[in-house]
């Protein structure tokens, strides 16, 4: 990371002060799908322990940006760092050179992601879903993985569902199992892409409570959501994305107080 970048995005310019460089640092991230420019230069940072929510209209690039952080999509210009590692590339004389798959897998290990559709393995019990990554990817002994898996499932309120198959669970329970599975990998960063938009209002509350607990515990998180009151409650800052750019990023009070930001006001009017 250049000194200049650190000055621009480092200590004091974002969320809780830790004295460390940001955990996530995006500087002018751009992405095209064919001729369609979807990310037009995203710059933001997320401090250690910070919760950033991202809101914005459908098609504004929220999921694409989140997927770039986790290397599920590749960006084509700009720089994106997680824990000071340049995601997806190494830089040679100012040019980006794609990393080999092995290095990308290594980078992704520290990042947990929870999707709108829960993406559990249907042929495995809830506990098997949770211990699969630690055993296969982290090479943990089975007993250690099982012990931590059980603890995590208890933490997300699924202490009585270790041996259930996902299809026997409600949507909210499946999503909580998916959160436990991501946490089992002991990530430095958790990404959530509309984690409750496939759920009914009742189960939505259960899942949001688990995410709010996680925020309280100090986990660094980036959450794409349409749940504005939730975002207001749990976020250190909220970003409004519009047409592939960050229109504004601010603490919840400042965010909702921007009465002269016409784009933001138009967006907020559509979801209240
Ligand atoms: N794999 C893809 N191939 C081509 N275009 C894509 C692909 N994925 C996304 N896009 C386009 O990129 C733009 C941004 O999509 P993205 O999914 O990031 O939006 P979003 O803000 O997450 O929207 P939503 O709120 O509906 O989830 C859209 O125009 C979308 O059609
Ligand atoms: Mg999306």
């Amino acid at each position: 990371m250049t000194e200049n970048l650190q000055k621009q995005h480092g200590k004091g310019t974002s969320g809780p002060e830790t004295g460390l460089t940001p955990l996530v640092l995006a500087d002018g991230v751009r992405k095209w799908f064919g001729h369609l420019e979807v990310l037009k230069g995203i710059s933001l940072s997320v401090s250690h322990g910070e919760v950033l929510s991202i809101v914005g209209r459908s098609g504004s690039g929220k999921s694409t940006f989140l997927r770039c952080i986790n290397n599920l999509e590749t960006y084509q210009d700009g720089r994106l760092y997680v824990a000071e590692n340049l995601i997806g590339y190494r830089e040679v004389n100012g040019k980006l050179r794609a990393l080999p798959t092995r290095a990308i897998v290594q980078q992704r290990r520290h990042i947990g992601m929870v999707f709108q559709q829960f993406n559990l393995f249907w042929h495995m019990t809830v506990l098997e879903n949770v211990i699969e990554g630690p055993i296969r990817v982290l090479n943990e002994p089975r007993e250690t993985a099982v012990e931590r898996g059980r603890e995590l499932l208890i933490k997300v309120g699924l202490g009585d569902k270790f041996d259930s198959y996902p299809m026997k669970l409600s949507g909210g329970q499946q999503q909580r199992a998916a959160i436990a599975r991501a946490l089992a990998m002991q990530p430095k960063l958790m990404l959530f892409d509309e984690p409750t938009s496939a759920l009914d209002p009742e189960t939505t509350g259960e899942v949001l409570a688990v995410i709010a607990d996680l925020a309280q515990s100090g986990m660094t998180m980036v959450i794409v959501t349409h749940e504005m009151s939730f975002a207001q409650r749990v976020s250190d800052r909220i970003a409004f994305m519009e047409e592939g750019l960050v229109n504004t990023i601010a603490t919840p009070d400042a965010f909702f107080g921007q009465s002269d930001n016409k784009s933001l006001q138009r967006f907020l009017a559509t979801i209240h």
Side-chain angles (χ1 to χ4, degrees), residues 57-59 61-64 116 193-194 224 226:
R57 276 186 202 84
S58 180
K62 306 179 299 294
S63 296
T64 304
Q116 183 177 345
D193 192 359
E194 299 198 35
V224 171
H226 289 295

Side-chain angles (χ1 to χ4, degrees), residues 62-233:
K62 306 179 299 294
S63 296
T64 304
F65 177 60
L66 212 60
R67 292 167 64 83
C68 284
I69 299 176
N70 201 16
N71 234 319
L72 293 172
E73 297 286 358
T74 49
Y75 56 98
Q76 286 121 8
D77 197 11
R79 302 288 183 273
L80 181 47
Y81 299 88
V82 175
E84 299 191 47
N85 292 308
L86 181 61
I87 292 294
Y89 297 103
R90 64 198 168 90
E91 195 169 337
V92 183
N93 298 328
K95 294 230 165 64
L96 296 178
R97 297 272 155 77
L99 285 178
T101 311
R102 184 172 31 86
I104 287 177
V105 168
Q106 196 63 21
Q107 290 185 332
R108 204 179 277 148
R109 250 179 66 166
H110 304 291
I111 305 171
M113 184 147 177
V114 174
F115 302 86
Q116 183 177 345
Q117 299 300 341
F118 324 118
N119 293 6
L120 293 166
F121 298 116
W122 294 96
H123 61 289
M124 293 182 183
T125 65
V126 166
L127 184 61
E128 284 165 356
N129 263 280
V130 172
I131 65 177
E132 194 261 357
I135 291 174
R136 197 176 50 83
V137 182
L138 304 183
N139 294 319
E140 274 185 17
R142 191 180 168 82
E143 309 83 77
T144 317
V146 166
E147 194 179 326
R148 225 188 39 259
R150 287 195 173 128
E151 277 168 22
L152 283 168
L153 285 168
I154 291 168
K155 197 164 132 190
V156 301
L158 295 176
D160 55 345
K161 300 289 182 194
F162 296 160
D163 299 322
S164 301
Y165 284 87
M167 64 194 257
K168 302 273 182 186
L169 302 184
S170 72
Q173 288 169 335
Q174 288 179 33
Q175 190 60 304
R176 285 183 280 141
I179 294 171
R181 191 180 61 177
L183 292 174
M185 296 296 285
Q186 300 180 289
K188 291 182 184 150
L189 172 68
M190 284 285 286
L191 308 173
F192 293 88
D193 192 359
E194 299 198 35
T196 60
S197 54
L199 302 175
D200 58 39
E202 199 176 320
T203 46
T204 291
E206 295 167 4
V207 172
L208 293 182
V210 167
I211 300 173
D213 271 357
L214 210 48
Q216 280 291 320
S217 76
M219 175 64 78
T220 310
M221 308 203 279
V222 183
I223 308 171
V224 171
T225 184
H226 289 295
E227 300 279 342
M228 298 306 292
S229 61
F230 171 74
Q232 185 165 19
R233 191 157 44 85

